[in-house]
C-alpha cells in the first residue's frame, strides 16, 4: 500500500463497525426539522411541488397502511426537493366526528356519565381537552418514520381557519341551491345515533332469514317475502308489475295488513321484478330507499315504526321491542295466524353495517341536509375525461367514472355534537337563515341554530385549499394550489378523492385540486390476507421499526408498491431490507478504508480501468431508469433497480473486482478510489428518498457536506461505455461458471485450487489477478496437473483437483445420481408416450410429468458435465 493511500486512510472519518438505527434516526430527524429542511417558502422562485397528507384521524395511531402511504409520499417529496422544487408536504389531522365522539363518550361512561349530563358546550370542551392531551399521537410516529412534512403548517379540520373555509363553502353552496333540506331515506346507525353516508356503510354477507307472508284473504290475497319482518308494521302498500297477469285483478284494491287494523292498496309499479320471488313486494316507504321512491310515485303515506335506537314505536304488543326481538315476535304472531307460507334459515344476504361501530344500519326516513351532487359530479368526471387530472394507474379511471357518473345526492348532516355545526338559524315563524363566517347570526326570541353537524368528509373535502389559507387569497394558495399529485389508496377513491374534486372545481373557479391522482393498494400480510386484529395478523409498524430500523420498513413497503395493487408484507422481508441497509453500511466502510473520495474531478476515461468505466456506465443507466420509474409512480421498480444495482453490481462485483487494484496502490488505486466515491455518492443520493437515515449518515461521512435532504438529485450524464460493459460481462461469466463448477465438485468457498488461465485476446489480461483472487485460484506451480478444463466465454480455466477431493468416491456418487436421473427420464418418457394415459390423465398430472422430464434432462446434462470435469488417471 502506498504512502498516499495510507494518508487517505488516516484522514478518513470513521464509521462504527455496525449500523444501529436507534443511535441515528431520532437525532437525524430532529436535526432536519431544526434546520427547516422540510419547510416551504411561498415566496421562493423555485417551481412548486405540493402534496397534502391524507389527514389521519385524531383518534388514530400509525398502522402499516399509514406507514406505506407516508413512505411513498416522502420518497416523492424528498426527490423533488433534491431536484430543486419548492416542496410542500402539507401535514394535518382530521377531527373524525363519529370516531372522536365515541372515544370521549366511552371515557365519560367510565365516570358513569353521558354527554347529555354535561350538555353540548361542556362536552365539546371535553373533546378539545382530550384532543390536546391524548389525540394526535400519530405525529410522533410520523417522526419515527422520517416523514418530511412542513410541521409549522400543520392543520386540523376543526381549527379556526378551516372552520372559516367550511362556513364559506356552505353558504356559497346554499345560495347556489346546491345545499338543501329534505326528508329522505338515510342510513341510520342505532348505536352512533346519527345518519351516515352511503360510503360509510360496509356490506357483508350475513346469515338471516327469509320469511314469506300472506297478505289479504282468498282470491284477494298475495304472498310477499322479506328479511325484515318487523318493518311490515309500516307497510302502506303492496306493489306488483303493471304487466303481471297474476295480480292485475288486485291492482287498485285494498287488502288487509296482518296484525293491524289497517288496509293497504295494491299498486302497479315498473320497479317490481315479476320474475323475482312471487312478483309482489311489500312497500314500507319510511324504512327502505326503493320503497320510498315507490311511495313518492304513488303518493303513499310514510309510517315510521322505529325510534332512533331501532326500538318499535307502534302501539300494541310489539311496542318497546328492539328490532331483532320484534322480528322474532312478529313472525311468531304471523305463524299463529297461519300467515307464514315459507321460512328459509339461514338465508345469506348482503347487510349494511356502520363502518365505525359495525352495528347493522337501519334505513330510516329523516329530515336531513343534502348536497345536490349532479352538477358537481359532472364537473369532477369531466376534469378527468378532458385530461386536466390524470388517474394513475389509468385502469382505475373506470372505477372513478362508475362512481361519479352515478352519484346520488349526499346527506351531509350528522346528529352529533363534535364537528362543524351547520351554520343555519331557524326563526320563530319558520324562517331559515344561512350565516357566513363574517356575519352575525339572527338573535331574539325563538331563533336557534341547527343542532346537527356536518359530515367529516365535508371539511376534509376542502383540504387541498383550506390548508393553504382559503378563503383568503394567500401567497401560499397562489404558490401551492393546485397540488401536484394526490397519493392515496384506491379504497377512498369514492370517500375522499371524489369529494375533493367536486369541492376544488367548485370553490376554485374550475381549477381541480391536483394534477395527478396516484392510487396505491392495501397492505396485506405475506399470504395476501387483509390485516386485522380479529385475524391476529395486524402489525404495529413501530415494532418492526424498533427491531430493524425505519429504513428497513420503508424499503420493504416501497419495494412492494406496484400502482393500484395490494402489497403483501412479512417480517422476514423487513429482515431482508435490514440486511440490505447493513450491506450498504459495510460496503461504505470498506470504501472509506480504501480511500474512496468525492474530491476533485473524475479522472479521464483513459486513466480508468475497464472495471471503472463499466460501473460508471451502469450507474448512468440506473439513474435514467430510476427517474423514469419515479415519473410513472413505479416505486417497486425504483426499489428493485437500486437494490440489485447496489448489492449485485456495486458491492458484489465492482468492490470485489477492485480489491486487487486497491491492494496494488499507486495511481490506479487513486483512480478507482475516486470512481468508487462517485458511485457511492450517486447511489446514496438515489436511495435517500426511500432510505433517508442510513444514506444521510453515510453520505455526510463520505462527502463531508451538510445533508442529503438538500443535496442535488443525480443527473444522467449521457455516458455509456458498451465495450466496458461487454468486457466485464465476460469476466463475470468466467467467475460465475468456475464458482458453479467448484460448488458442484463440493469444494469449500475458501479452498484454494491451483489453476492455469488461458486468456484469449487482451480483454481478460488486466483482470487475471482479480479473477484468481475471487475464485481462490493459486498459480499452477511445477507439479501442476490439469485434471479439469473449463472453456468459458473466450477463456479456458484448467484446474488441478488432485488432492482436493476423493475422485473415486465422487465419481461413484455422480454415476449413481446419473443412473437415477436416466431412470426418471425413461419413466417420464414412457408415460408421455402412452396415448391411453394421456387421454385419461388430468392436465395437471400431465404437466407434472412433463416437468419431471425437463428436470431429469437438466440433471443428466449437469451430472455428465461434472463427471467430465473430474480428474482422470
Amino acid at each position: 500500500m502506498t504512502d498516499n493511500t495510507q494518508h487517505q486512510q488516516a484522514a478518513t472519518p470513521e464509521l462504527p463497525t455496525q449500523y444501529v438505527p436507534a443511535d441515528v434516526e431520532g437525532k437525524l430527524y430532529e436535526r432536519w426539522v431544526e434546520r427547516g429542511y422540510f419547510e416551504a417558502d411561498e415566496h421562493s422562485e423555485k417551481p412548486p411541488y405540493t402534496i397534502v397528507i391524507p389527514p389521519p384521524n385524531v383518534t388514530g395511531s400509525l398502522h402499516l397502511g399509514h406507514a406505506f402511504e407516508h413512505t411513498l409520499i416522502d420518497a416523492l417529496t424528498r426527490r423533488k426537493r433534491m431536484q430543486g422544487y419548492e416542496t410542500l408536504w402539507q401535514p394535518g389531522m382530521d377531527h373524525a366526528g363519529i370516531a372522536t365522539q365515541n372515544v370521549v363518550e366511552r371515557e365519560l361512561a367510565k365516570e358513569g356519565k353521558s354527554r347529555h349530563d354535561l350538555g353540548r358546550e361542556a362536552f365539546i370542551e371535553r373533546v378539545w381537552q382530550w384532543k390536546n392531551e391524548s389525540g394526535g399521537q400519530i405525529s410522533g410516529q410520523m417522526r419515527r418514520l422520517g416523514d418530511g412534512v412542513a410541521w409549522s403548517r400543520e392543520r386540523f379540520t376543526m381549527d379556526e381557519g378551516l372552520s372559516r373555509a367550511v362556513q364559506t363553502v356552505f353558504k356559497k353552496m346554499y345560495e347556489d341551491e346546491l345545499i338543501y333540506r329534505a326528508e329522505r331515506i338515510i342510513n341510520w346507525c342505532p348505536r352512533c345515533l346519527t345518519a351516515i353516508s352511503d360510503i360509510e356503510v360496509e356490506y357483508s354477507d350475513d346469515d338471516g332469514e327469509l320469511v314469506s307472508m300472506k297478505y289479504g284473504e282468498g282470491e284477494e290475497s298475495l304472498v310477499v317475502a322479506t328479511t325484515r319482518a318487523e318493518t311490515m308494521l309500516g307497510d302502506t302498500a303492496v306493489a306488483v308489475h303493471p304487466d303481471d297477469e297474476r295480480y292485475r285483478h288486485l291492482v287498485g284494491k285494498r287488502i288487509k295488513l296482518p296484525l293491524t287494523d289497517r288496509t293497504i292498496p295494491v299498486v302497479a309499479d315498473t320497479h317490481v321484478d315479476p320474475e323475482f320471488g312471487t312478483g309482489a313486494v311489500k312497500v314500507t316507504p319510511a324504512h327502505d330507499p326503493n320503497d320510498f321512491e315507490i311511495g313518492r310515485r304513488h303518493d303513499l303515506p310514510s309510517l315510521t315504526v322505529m325510534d332512533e335506537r331501532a326500538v318499535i314505536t307502534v302501539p300494541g304488543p310489539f311496542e318497546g321491542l328492539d328490532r331483532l326481538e320484534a322480528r322474532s315476535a312478529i313472525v311468531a304472531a304471523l305463524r299463529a295466524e297461519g300467515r307464514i307460507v315459507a321460512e328459509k334459515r339461514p338465508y345469506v344476504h348482503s347487510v349494511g353495517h356502520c363502518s365505525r361501530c359495525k352495528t347493522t344500519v337501519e334505513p330510516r326516513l329523516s329530515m336531513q341536509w343534502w348536497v345536490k351532487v349532479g352538477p358537481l359530479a359532472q364537473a369532477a368526471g369531466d376534469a378527468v375525461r378532458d385530461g386536466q387530472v390524470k388517474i394513475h394507474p389509468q385502469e382505475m379511471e373506470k372505477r372513478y367514472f362508475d362512481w361519479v357518473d352515478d352519484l346520488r345526492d349526499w346527506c351531509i348532516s350528522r346528529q352529533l355534537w363534535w364537528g362543524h355545526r351547520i351554520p343555519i338559524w331557524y326563526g320563530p315563524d319558520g324562517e331559515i337563515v344561512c350565516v357566513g363566517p363574517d356575519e352575525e347570526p339572527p338573535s331574539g326570541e325563538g331563533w336557534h341554530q341547527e343542532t346537527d353537524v356536518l359530515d367529516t368528509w365535508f371539511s376534509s373535502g376542502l383540504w387541498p385549499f383550506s390548508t393553504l389559507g382559503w378563503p383568503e387569497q394567500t401567497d401560499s394558495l397562489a404558490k401551492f394550489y393546485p397540488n401536484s399529485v394526490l397519493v392515496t389508496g384506491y379504497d377512498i377513491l369514492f370517500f375522499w378523492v371524489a369529494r375533493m374534486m367536486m369541492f376544488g372545481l367548485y370553490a376554485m373557479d374550475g381549477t381541480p385540486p391536483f394534477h395527478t391522482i396516484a392510487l396505491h393498494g392495501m397492505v396485506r400480510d405475506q399470504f395476501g390476507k387483509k390485516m386485522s386484529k380479529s385475524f391476529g395478523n395486524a402489525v404495529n409498524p413501530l415494532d418492526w421499526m424498533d427491531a430493524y430500523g425505519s429504513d428497513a420498513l420503508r424499503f420493504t413497503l416501497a419495494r412492494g408498491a406496484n400502482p393500484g395493487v395490494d402489497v403483501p408484507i412479512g417480517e422476514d422481508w423487513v429482515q431482508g431490507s435490514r440486511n440490505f441497509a447493513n450491506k450498504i453500511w459495510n460496503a461504505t466502510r470498506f470504501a472509506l478504508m480504501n480511500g474512496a473520495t468525492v474530491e476533485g474531478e473524475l479522472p479521464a476515461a483513459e486513466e480508468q480501468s475497464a472495471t471503472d468505466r463499466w460501473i460508471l456506465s451502469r450507474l448512468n443507466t440506473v439513474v435514467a431508469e430510476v427517474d423514469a420509474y419515479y415519473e410513472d409512480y413505479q416505486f417497486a421498480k425504483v426499489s428493485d433497480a437500486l437494490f440489485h444495482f447496489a448489492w449485485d453490481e456495486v458491492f458484489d462485483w465492482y468492490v470485489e473486482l477492485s480489491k486487487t487494484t486497491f491492494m496494488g496502490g499507486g495511481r490506479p488505486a487513486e483512480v478507482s478510489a475516486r470512481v468508487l466515491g462517485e458511485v457511492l455518492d450517486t447511489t446514496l443520493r438515489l436511495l435517500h428518498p426511500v432510505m433517508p437515515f442510513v444514506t444521510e449518515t453515510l453520505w455526510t461521512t463520505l462527502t463531508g457536506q451538510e445533508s442529503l435532504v438538500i443535496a442535488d438529485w443525480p443527473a444522467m450524464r449521457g455516458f455509456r461505455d458498451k465495450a466496458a460493459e461487454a468486457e466485464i460481462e465476460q469476466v463475470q461469466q468466467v467467475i460465475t461458471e468456475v464458482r458453479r463448477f467448484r460448488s458442484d465438485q463440493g469444494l469449500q468457498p475458501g479452498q484454494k485450487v491451483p489453476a492455469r488461465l488461458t486468456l484469449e485476446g487482451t480483454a481478460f489480461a488486466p483482470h487475471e489477478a482479480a479473477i484468481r483472487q475471487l475464485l481462490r485460484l493459486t498459480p499452477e506451480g511445477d507439479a501442476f496437473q490439469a485434471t479439469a478444463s473449463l472453456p468459458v466465454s473466450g477463456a479456458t480455466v484448467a484446474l488441478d483437483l488432485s488432492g482436493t477431493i476423493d475422485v473415486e468416491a465422487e465419481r461413484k456418487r455422480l454415476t449413481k445420481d446419473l443412473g437415477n436421473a436416466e431412470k426418471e427420464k425413461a419413466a417420464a418418457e414412457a408415460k408421455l408416450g402412452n396415448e391411453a394415459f394421456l387421454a385419461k390423465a388430468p392436465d395437471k398430472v400431465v404437466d407434472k410429468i412433463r416437468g419431471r422430464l425437463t428436470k431429469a434432462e437438466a440433471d443428466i446434462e449437469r451430472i455428465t458435465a461434472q463427471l467430465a470435469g473430474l480428474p482422470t488417471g
Side-chain angles (χ1 to χ4, degrees):
M1 188 174 290
T2 66
D3 291 339
N4 183 54
T5 306
Q6 289 174 340
H7 174 74
Q8 284 180 325
Q9 278 186 283
T12 299
E14 291 187 1
L15 287 168
T17 55
Q18 289 185 321
Y19 176 51
V20 182
D23 293 345
V24 170
E25 294 176 350
K27 296 175 185 175
L28 269 187
Y29 189 84
E30 290 310 313
R31 186 188 308 159
W32 292 334
V33 173
E34 288 168 6
R35 294 180 178 178
Y37 293 156
F38 304 140
E39 296 303 322
D41 180 4
E42 60 266 33
H43 303 296
S44 167
E45 294 184 0
K46 296 178 182 178
Y49 187 81
T50 317
I51 295 181
V52 292
I53 194 171
N57 288 351
V58 68
T59 58
S61 61
L62 192 72
H63 56 64
L64 271 180
H66 287 123
F68 172 55
E69 186 168 79
H70 290 198
T71 293
L72 305 187
I73 297 175
D74 199 42
L76 290 174
T77 53
R78 284 180 182 269
R79 173 174 174 262
K80 285 297 183 180
R81 190 179 292 111
M82 295 172 74
Q83 286 183 314
Y85 286 79
E86 192 61 37
T87 302
L88 169 60
W89 182 7
Q90 172 66 53
M93 286 181 290
D94 192 280
H95 66 278
I98 296 176
T100 304
Q101 181 158 319
N102 284 346
V103 168
V104 178
E105 287 197 85
R106 285 196 295 269
E107 293 295 315
L108 284 175
K110 295 176 184 177
E111 304 170 15
K113 299 177 181 178
S114 74
R115 60 180 163 124
H116 300 285
D117 294 322
L118 273 65
R120 184 167 190 144
E121 288 188 12
F123 177 76
I124 292 174
E125 286 181 13
R126 181 70 176 260
V127 179
W128 275 108
Q129 179 184 346
W130 176 89
K131 185 263 180 187
N132 294 331
E133 293 176 358
S134 306
Q137 60 176 309
I138 201 167
S139 296
Q141 296 166 333
M142 287 167 61
R143 294 171 182 266
R144 280 290 312 276
L145 190 64
D147 288 2
V149 300
W151 286 112
S152 69
R153 293 172 174 263
E154 187 174 13
R155 303 303 299 267
F156 180 55
T157 51
M158 285 280 287
D159 68 27
E160 184 178 348
L162 269 65
S163 295
R164 181 180 179 82
V166 167
Q167 293 175 37
T168 301
V169 163
F170 188 97
K171 183 174 177 64
K172 176 175 169 57
M173 295 178 75
Y174 180 79
E175 292 177 345
D176 288 345
E177 298 184 349
L178 292 172
I179 287 180
Y180 63 94
R181 188 171 184 243
E183 192 174 42
R184 299 275 182 85
I185 291 286
I186 46 89
N187 304 297
W188 181 265
C189 176
R191 158 64 182 78
C192 297
L193 300 181
T194 182
I196 58 176
S197 65
D198 291 344
I199 55 178
E200 292 171 307
V201 179
E202 294 178 348
Y203 289 89
S204 61
D205 290 334
D206 295 358
D207 287 343
E209 61 179 357
L210 181 67
V211 180
S212 298
M213 310 174 292
K214 186 177 75 170
Y215 285 14
E217 302 293 344
E219 292 185 359
E220 295 188 353
S221 68
L222 34 66
V223 174
V224 298
T226 183
T227 58
R228 300 163 65 217
E230 68 279 8
T231 63
M232 60 88 59
L233 297 175
D235 286 359
T236 55
V238 173
V240 298
H241 194 276
D243 299 332
D244 195 331
E245 294 290 343
R246 293 171 294 177
Y247 304 116
R248 182 165 290 179
H249 68 289
L250 291 177
V251 173
K253 294 185 177 181
R254 301 184 71 86
I255 60 174
K256 187 172 188 306
L257 180 66
L259 306 183
T260 73
D261 58 1
R262 293 190 292 116
T263 61
I264 57 177
V266 177
V267 299
D269 196 280
T270 55
H271 171 76
V272 180
D273 180 0
E275 303 298 323
F276 183 77
T278 63
V281 297
K282 58 192 287 300
V283 181
T284 321
H287 292 278
D288 183 274
N290 293 322
D291 293 3
F292 177 77
E293 296 301 327
I294 293 175
R296 290 214 300 183
R297 287 193 290 272
H298 297 276
D299 198 25
L300 300 174
S302 296
L303 303 180
T304 300
V305 299
M306 282 178 252
D307 66 11
E308 61 183 6
R309 297 183 185 275
V311 172
I312 300 299
T313 56
V314 178
F318 311 112
E319 185 177 10
L321 295 180
D322 171 83
R323 56 182 166 171
L324 298 182
E325 296 171 331
R327 184 174 302 170
S328 299
I330 287 171
V331 170
L334 289 168
R335 190 183 298 113
E337 289 190 4
R339 295 278 178 181
I340 299 298
V341 176
E343 297 179 70
K344 185 176 181 180
R345 296 189 186 89
Y347 178 72
V348 179
H349 63 128
S350 181
V351 177
H353 300 268
C354 172
S355 62
R356 300 294 182 188
C357 69
K358 312 308 176 187
T359 302
T360 299
V361 168
E362 189 65 40
R364 187 168 187 254
L365 185 63
S366 180
M367 182 68 75
Q368 301 286 342
W369 285 92
W370 303 80
V371 168
K372 186 186 297 182
V373 300
L376 303 175
Q378 177 70 40
D382 290 345
V384 175
R385 287 188 179 92
D386 64 19
Q388 286 188 80
V389 179
K390 305 288 186 185
I391 293 181
H392 187 88
Q394 190 174 2
E395 53 266 26
M396 287 285 181
E397 282 186 3
K398 183 180 184 303
R399 296 181 64 174
Y400 177 79
F401 292 136
D402 287 346
W403 178 258
V404 298
D405 291 348
D406 193 33
L407 205 55
R408 294 192 296 182
D409 283 2
W410 171 21
C411 176
I412 56 172
S413 45
R414 298 291 180 267
Q415 289 64 56
L416 304 170
W417 287 356
W418 174 245
H420 293 282
R421 194 166 176 180
I422 292 176
I424 290 288
W425 267 256
Y426 302 107
D429 298 320
E431 303 96 330
I432 298 179
V433 176
C434 183
V435 178
D438 297 318
E439 300 170 351
E440 287 293 325
S443 58
E445 186 176 350
W447 283 93
H448 64 280
Q449 187 179 358
E450 170 66 69
T451 57
D452 289 354
V453 301
L454 288 165
D455 178 9
T456 302
W457 296 104
F458 192 99
S459 52
S460 60
L462 313 180
W463 192 248
F465 52 92
S466 63
T467 53
L468 297 172
W470 190 91
E472 307 305 324
Q473 297 305 305
T474 65
D475 292 339
S476 287
L477 189 67
K479 178 73 174 180
F480 296 114
Y481 187 91
N483 294 181
S484 305
V485 60
L486 173 74
V487 178
T488 192
Y490 63 70
D491 59 322
I492 57 173
L493 181 61
F494 317 129
F495 285 78
W496 189 43
V497 179
R499 276 143 175 68
M500 285 191 291
M501 286 285 284
M502 291 191 294
F503 278 135
L505 289 161
Y506 172 74
M508 299 301 293
D509 299 321
T511 302
F514 19 73
H515 298 300
T516 301
I517 302 168
L519 298 171
H520 59 72
M522 303 297 101
V523 177
R524 298 183 178 272
D525 72 12
Q526 59 189 320
F527 305 108
K529 190 175 181 180
K530 180 181 178 180
M531 284 192 170
S532 166
K533 289 181 180 178
S534 61
F535 295 154
N537 63 351
V539 175
N540 183 345
L542 293 176
D543 293 340
W544 282 354
M545 286 191 277
D546 288 341
Y548 309 111
S550 298
D551 286 327
L553 176 63
R554 289 170 60 115
F555 190 77
T556 305
L557 291 166
R559 202 173 181 191
N562 291 297
V565 179
D566 288 346
V567 183
I569 184 173
E571 185 168 6
D572 54 338
W573 303 344
V574 187
Q575 291 173 354
S577 296
R578 185 268 317 272
N579 295 342
F580 180 46
N582 289 341
K583 183 79 170 180
I584 301 168
W585 184 271
N586 293 332
T588 305
R589 284 190 74 246
F590 167 85
L592 291 171
M593 290 170 61
N594 285 275
T597 180
V598 297
E599 296 297 326
E601 295 295 322
L602 271 176
E606 53 267 23
E607 277 200 284
Q608 298 172 17
S609 68
T611 309
D612 294 333
R613 297 194 304 277
W614 162 73
I615 197 64
L616 290 173
S617 180
R618 289 293 305 128
L619 177 66
N620 277 283
T621 299
V622 169
V623 170
E625 288 176 349
V626 167
D627 275 333
Y629 291 146
Y630 262 121
E631 294 304 314
D632 200 34
Y633 304 99
Q634 298 277 1
F635 298 98
K637 291 183 178 179
V638 167
S639 304
D640 219 43
L642 288 172
F643 175 86
H644 288 295
F645 175 70
W647 193 309
D648 299 345
E649 298 188 82
V650 179
F651 306 147
D652 278 358
W653 281 113
Y654 180 74
V655 168
E656 294 299 321
L657 288 172
S658 300
K659 280 183 178 179
T660 53
T661 304
F662 291 128
M663 291 171 64
R667 181 58 181 165
E670 291 177 357
V671 171
S672 289
R674 179 64 186 88
V675 169
L676 180 53
E678 182 78 6
V679 172
L680 282 175
D681 175 14
T682 303
T683 303
L684 292 171
R685 291 175 195 251
L686 293 172
L687 281 166
H688 176 73
V690 177
M691 304 180 78
F693 294 108
V694 67
T695 54
E696 172 85 338
T697 306
L698 295 174
W699 186 84
T700 53
T701 303
L702 172 69
T703 66
Q705 297 183 44
E706 182 181 346
S707 175
L708 252 181
V709 180
I710 54 173
D712 291 336
W713 181 253
M716 223 281 275
R717 303 179 188 222
F719 170 76
R720 185 79 186 270
D721 192 326
K722 293 185 178 180
E725 289 189 30
E727 182 174 326
I728 299 304
E729 185 178 343
Q730 284 186 301
V731 173
Q732 290 172 326
Q733 288 174 358
V734 171
I735 293 171
T736 300
E737 288 301 316
V738 176
R739 278 176 172 165
R740 183 179 293 118
F741 178 79
R742 286 177 58 108
S743 176
D744 289 343
Q745 299 304 321
L747 297 177
Q748 295 300 313
Q751 189 171 353
K752 294 182 178 180
V753 178
R756 176 188 300 139
L757 274 63
T758 304
L759 307 173
E760 299 176 12
T762 59
F764 289 104
H767 307 289
E768 180 170 353
I771 292 171
R772 284 187 177 278
Q773 180 179 338
L774 291 175
L775 293 173
R776 303 296 190 268
L777 303 180
T778 60
E780 50 196 279
D782 295 336
F784 180 79
Q785 299 179 48
T787 57
S789 182
L790 300 174
V792 184
S793 187
T796 301
V797 181
L799 303 172
D800 183 354
L801 300 179
S802 59
T804 60
I805 60 172
D806 184 336
V807 176
E808 289 308 314
E810 185 67 9
R811 191 185 309 279
K812 185 176 180 180
R813 182 185 70 81
L814 289 172
T815 301
K816 181 180 178 181
D817 290 347
L818 180 61
N820 290 336
E822 288 173 339
K823 286 181 183 177
E824 178 73 7
K825 178 186 176 186
E829 287 178 333
K831 284 192 175 182
L832 294 173
N834 185 334
E835 294 297 334
F837 168 78
L838 293 176
K840 296 179 180 179
D843 290 343
K844 288 184 178 180
V845 173
V846 175
D847 289 343
K848 186 175 181 180
I849 293 171
R850 288 193 178 115
R852 285 165 52 188
L853 175 60
T854 300
K855 183 179 182 303
E857 290 174 339
D859 287 344
I860 291 169
E861 183 178 354
R862 175 179 56 82
I863 297 167
T864 301
Q866 288 177 247
L867 282 167
L870 287 175
T872 58

